[in-house]
Amino acid sequence: MKPTLQAVADAVGVSRSTVSNAYSRPDQLSTALRERILEAARQLGYPGPDPTARSLRRGVVGAVGVLFTSQLSYAFTDPFAVRFLAGVAGAAERHGTSLLLVPLPDDAPGARRAVESAAVDGFCVYCAGDESWALDAIRARNLPFVTTAPRADAGPADRFVGIDERAAARTAAAHVVGLGHRRVALLGDTVLPGVPSGELRLADVTDVPHPTTRGRLAGFADAFAEVGVAWPELTLLSAAGNSRTAAAAAVAAVLAGPDRPTAILACSDVLALGVLDALAGTGGPPCAVTGFDDIAEAAEAGLTTVRQPAEEKGRRLAELLLDPPEDPAAGHVLLPTELVVRTSTGPVPRR
Amino acid sequence: MKPTLQAVADAVGVSRSTVSNAYSRPDQLSTALRERILEAARQLGYPGPDPTARSLRRGVVGAVGVLFTSQLSYAFTDPFAVRFLAGVAGAAERHGTSLLLVPLPDDAPGARRAVESAAVDGFCVYCAGDESWALDAIRARNLPFVTTAPRADAGPADRFVGIDERAAARTAAAHVVGLGHRRVALLGDTVLPGVPSGELRLADVTDVPHPTTRGRLAGFADAFAEVGVAWPELTLLSAAGNSRTAAAAAVAAVLAGPDRPTAILACSDVLALGVLDALAGTGGPPCAVTGFDDIAEAAEAGLTTVRQPAEEKGRRLAELLLDPPEDPAAGHVLLPTELVVRTSTGPVPRR
DNA sequence: TTGAAAGCGCTACCAA
DNA sequence: TTGGTAGCGCTTTCAA
């Protein structure tokens, strides 16, 4: 039987309130009495107020939830996610708040229940697809939340820290355009749900459901449209998952085909690295490749990419949740991005 | 005012127990009534039972704490820790348990309070130095816990998943010995607390307080002792922190000095990579370098190292906590390690 | 400076 | 199958 606060009170001969005060409001009692209480607690092996009971009573938990709309282990597998989390963790640490990583089961009702039953004071939602159900559940609980992207269903009070996906992607494509490339392929993760890795035809970029992927593809397309290369002339590739192997599989056929692109623009560095893998295993003329995020491996691989500040994104997001700004406009943050040109993008090879 | 279970009960005209059952024990009431209750809840915007109240009543939280005895952000900064966490997260996910990452303030009493007030059902303790105070606090709360290393103060019922640090380190050193190296340096992270990066004299390896570092250094020493190179003849280097820059700083002087070692054995890959950094910036004869852990960067850098299964370590540790084995002996796990020879270790250069 | 009373929101037992 | 009762362990007024 674990000793309770009551037991300590009895042992010392004071009321529960006084023992409670000894822990939570030291200024509410004499030092002598407090010492006596703490000593008795030590004797009894009382480990201090029960966190759950305290939370119930106070109505505050002291933890924020972090939601990844996919496997939780993804959070530790994807290099960008890891750096993002490092930022979140740093901010939480400074604030003295714990981080609750909530695993979401595959089934929708189970996932919703997971969100409903997380003991947290708020949520950081890492937007990785369609998580509106999660936001609904969070709103139903009346908990504050922040997201990593502006959302279509967002109200003016909803806070986020994101980037201008479209404009950022456009800079990468503009660079490729400037190198003279016109026959190009765009590669995204799961451009349409359920399609296998490989080529895909889509009437319009607006048909891409995933907002981040849609934004980046649209940005790529913008730069090519400007030089007269319209959407239908761009080869669209989809990888079944954000992994090097999926990316390599997605580009294999088109690299071997008759209309081999001279450049491939990927929606993430992980995908781009997969393209480089595929290229390394193939002969043929050089092919320019761009990525997105600028993870550590990108630099080593000489990958031209769009850098976004991963840790800062996490840090500022957590801060937005933990220290809400007075001004609602300050809750809408777009971080700067930067095109990083390395060796993976060269001019169109002469034939 | 948030609706409570009581409000739903009133709305439907049933008792609280029945509403509670509708959520927690669907088999305890008719489907029709359950539907009616759930519908009313939806109408009222009742998001389901309050997690904290439920935890208090049930005595179970549904989360395990993960304790890093250092900055929480370290967990996302160190590549080995990240892969370890991926393993923990995977196991937790399969088990439907959340992970609470608890930040520890710098001051001892605050850190203890953090452990005392974490709402969890148990702890995974990542051993990174002296965390006995944390274990004391956990024991006082009567919570189950598991650690990443066997501990001196462990009872037979205490569970851990570790490696044989000493034997593993010895294999790396034996490899270096086999290459003919006799004038060598050993590099550890914070070999003695508070000393700056650089050389250090220590009467005996047992004087190293950090158990992991001590074990690895002892293993290194073992292999050299076997060929007649005693402890005092080994150069001992300490890095102020497990970082590349600290490692590079720690080896700078000895690399420039008259008794330049022909090999440097580091207690972690991160440190070894720092040594390679320093070497790259220096002239002079080649110097063999070994690491420990086999993180992804090690392969790219051609680093000879001792591989330990990072993800498996995390996974099995979490499983040990979540599904305690019947047999207490099964709670003591030593994972296999493997020497991975790459290009960073060559024979002693002829002069 | 201390204590009594009133719950926080829920679940589990047992009886109907 | 349903409901009444009795707390889980704590904090917080408010009054003494």
Side-chain angles (χ1 to χ4, degrees), chain B:
Chain B
M1 190 52 206
K2 247 177 52 184
T4 66
L5 186 145
Q6 175 76 75
V8 178
D10 292 348
V12 183
V14 295
S15 78
R16 286 180 308 186
S17 334
T18 304
V19 178
S20 174
N21 283 336
Y23 282 97
S24 308
R25 330 174 94 184
D27 52 314
Q28 293 297 300
L29 48 119
S30 63
T31 317
L33 180 56
R34 183 173 131 91
E35 272 314 318
R36 203 144 59 83
I37 289 172
L38 262 30
E39 178 52 31
R42 220 167 293 134
Q43 296 277 331
L44 292 168
Y46 174 68
D50 178 276
T52 309
R54 167 177 272 182
S55 292
L56 176 60
R57 184 58 239 242
R58 299 229 256 221
V60 168
V61 176
V64 301
V66 180
L67 230 50
F68 282 83
T69 323
S70 58
Q71 287 214 94
L72 178 53
S73 45
Y74 173 88
F76 301 100
T77 303
D78 181 77
F80 181 78
V82 168
R83 289 208 294 143
F84 166 81
L85 267 182
V88 172
E93 188 159 46
R94 249 165 280 128
H95 200 268
T97 300
S98 296
L99 247 37
L100 189 75
L101 303 183
V102 185
L104 300 177
D106 278 334
D107 61 308
R112 192 179 168 108
R113 226 170 305 127
V115 172
E116 284 168 347
S117 59
V120 295
D121 299 320
F123 280 101
C124 285
V125 183
Y126 187 94
C127 294
D130 177 23
E131 48 277 318
S132 39
W133 60 269
L135 300 189
D136 287 346
I138 296 171
R139 287 201 191 92
R141 285 187 60 183
N142 232 318
L143 288 177
F145 67 91
V146 292
T147 61
T148 57
R151 301 193 43 87
D153 57 345
D158 286 340
R159 290 162 281 165
F160 66 84
V161 175
I163 59 173
D164 185 336
E165 306 281 359
R166 185 163 184 167
R170 184 186 185 132
T171 62
H175 164 70
V176 171
V177 164
L179 290 169
H181 297 272
R182 296 297 181 272
R183 194 170 68 247
V184 304
L186 313 182
L187 170 61
D189 169 16
T190 319
V191 174
L192 275 189
V195 304
S197 290
E199 194 171 345
L200 186 69
R201 299 240 142 247
L202 222 52
D204 196 83
V205 70
T206 53
D207 293 339
V208 177
H210 187 128
T212 305
T213 302
R214 183 172 63 236
R216 293 184 188 175
L217 291 176
F220 292 152
D222 286 345
F224 286 99
E226 208 157 76
V227 292
V229 179
W231 175 255
E233 298 165 56
L234 299 168
T235 302
L236 182 59
L237 301 171
S238 179
N242 188 37
S243 73
R244 287 169 82 135
T245 49
V251 298
V254 76
L255 284 180
D259 286 330
R260 195 183 204 258
T262 67
I264 300 181
L265 291 77
C267 286
S268 80
D269 283 349
V270 173
L271 294 178
L273 291 170
V275 175
L276 292 180
D277 291 343
L279 249 16
T282 324
C287 178
V289 177
T290 68
F292 205 110
D293 290 340
D294 196 29
I295 62 178
E297 289 93 319
E300 287 153 27
L303 183 66
T304 293
T305 191
V306 177
R307 173 181 302 159
Q308 60 169 322
E311 282 206 37
E312 184 182 356
K313 202 171 185 179
R315 175 175 62 73
R316 298 203 50 185
L317 188 70
E319 287 171 354
L320 219 47
L321 180 63
L322 297 170
D323 291 313
E326 300 287 324
D327 178 11
H332 299 181
V333 180
L334 282 185
L335 260 20
T337 59
E338 178 193 0
L339 177 67
V340 181
V341 177
R342 297 202 182 92
T343 55
S344 71
T345 44
V348 181
R350 309 213 194 133
R351 54 186 183 95

Side-chain angles (χ1 to χ4, degrees), chain A residues 303-315:
Chain A
L303 183 66
T304 293
T305 191
V306 179
R307 174 180 301 160
Q308 60 167 323
E311 282 205 35
E312 184 181 357
K313 202 172 186 178
R315 175 176 63 73

Side-chain angles (χ1 to χ4, degrees), chain A:
Chain A
M1 191 50 209
K2 249 179 50 186
T4 66
L5 185 146
Q6 174 77 77
V8 178
D10 291 348
V12 183
V14 295
S15 76
R16 288 181 308 190
S17 338
T18 304
V19 178
S20 174
N21 282 335
Y23 282 96
S24 309
R25 331 174 85 181
D27 52 315
Q28 293 296 301
L29 65 169
S30 63
T31 316
L33 179 57
R34 181 173 133 91
E35 271 315 316
R36 202 144 61 85
I37 290 173
L38 261 29
E39 178 51 31
R42 219 168 291 133
Q43 296 275 332
L44 292 169
Y46 174 69
D50 178 275
T52 309
R54 167 176 274 182
S55 293
L56 176 60
R57 183 57 237 242
R58 299 228 255 223
V60 169
V61 176
V64 302
V66 180
L67 229 50
F68 282 82
T69 323
S70 60
Q71 287 215 95
L72 178 53
S73 45
Y74 173 88
F76 300 99
T77 304
D78 181 78
F80 181 78
V82 168
R83 288 207 295 142
F84 166 81
L85 267 182
V88 173
E93 189 159 43
R94 248 164 281 127
H95 200 266
T97 299
S98 296
L99 246 38
L100 190 74
L101 303 183
V102 185
L104 299 177
D106 279 332
D107 61 307
R112 190 176 171 112
R113 225 170 308 127
V115 172
E116 284 167 347
S117 60
V120 296
D121 299 321
F123 279 101
C124 285
V125 183
Y126 186 93
C127 293
D130 176 23
E131 48 278 320
S132 39
W133 60 270
L135 299 190
D136 286 347
I138 296 171
R139 287 202 191 91
R141 285 185 61 183
N142 231 316
L143 288 177
F145 67 91
V146 292
T147 61
T148 56
R151 301 190 45 85
D153 58 344
D158 287 338
R159 289 161 281 165
F160 66 84
V161 175
I163 60 173
D164 186 335
E165 306 281 358
R166 187 164 183 165
R170 184 188 184 130
T171 61
H175 164 68
V176 171
V177 164
L179 290 168
H181 297 272
R182 295 298 183 269
R183 193 170 69 246
V184 304
L186 314 182
L187 171 61
D189 169 16
T190 320
V191 174
L192 274 188
V195 304
S197 290
E199 195 170 344
L200 186 69
R201 299 239 143 250
L202 222 52
D204 196 83
V205 70
T206 54
D207 293 340
V208 176
H210 187 130
T212 305
T213 302
R214 183 174 61 237
R216 293 183 189 175
L217 291 176
F220 292 152
D222 286 345
F224 287 100
E226 207 157 80
V227 292
V229 180
W231 176 255
E233 299 166 54
L234 299 168
T235 302
L236 182 59
L237 302 170
S238 179
N242 188 37
S243 73
R244 287 169 82 135
T245 51
V251 298
V254 76
L255 285 182
D259 286 330
R260 193 181 206 259
T262 67
I264 300 180
L265 291 78
C267 286
S268 80
D269 284 350
V270 173
L271 294 177
L273 292 170
V275 175
L276 292 180
D277 292 344
L279 248 16
T282 323
C287 178
V289 177
T290 68
F292 204 111
D293 288 343
D294 196 30
I295 62 178
E297 290 92 320
E300 287 153 26
L303 183 66
T304 293
T305 191
V306 179
R307 174 180 301 160
Q308 60 167 323
E311 282 205 35
E312 184 181 357
K313 202 172 186 178
R315 175 176 63 73
R316 297 205 46 187
L317 189 70
E319 288 170 354
L320 219 47
L321 180 64
L322 296 169
D323 291 314
E326 299 288 325
D327 178 10
H332 299 182
V333 180
L334 282 185
L335 261 19
T337 59
E338 177 193 1
L339 178 68
V340 182
V341 177
R342 298 203 181 91
T343 56
S344 72
T345 44
V348 180
R350 308 217 193 131
R351 52 182 185 97

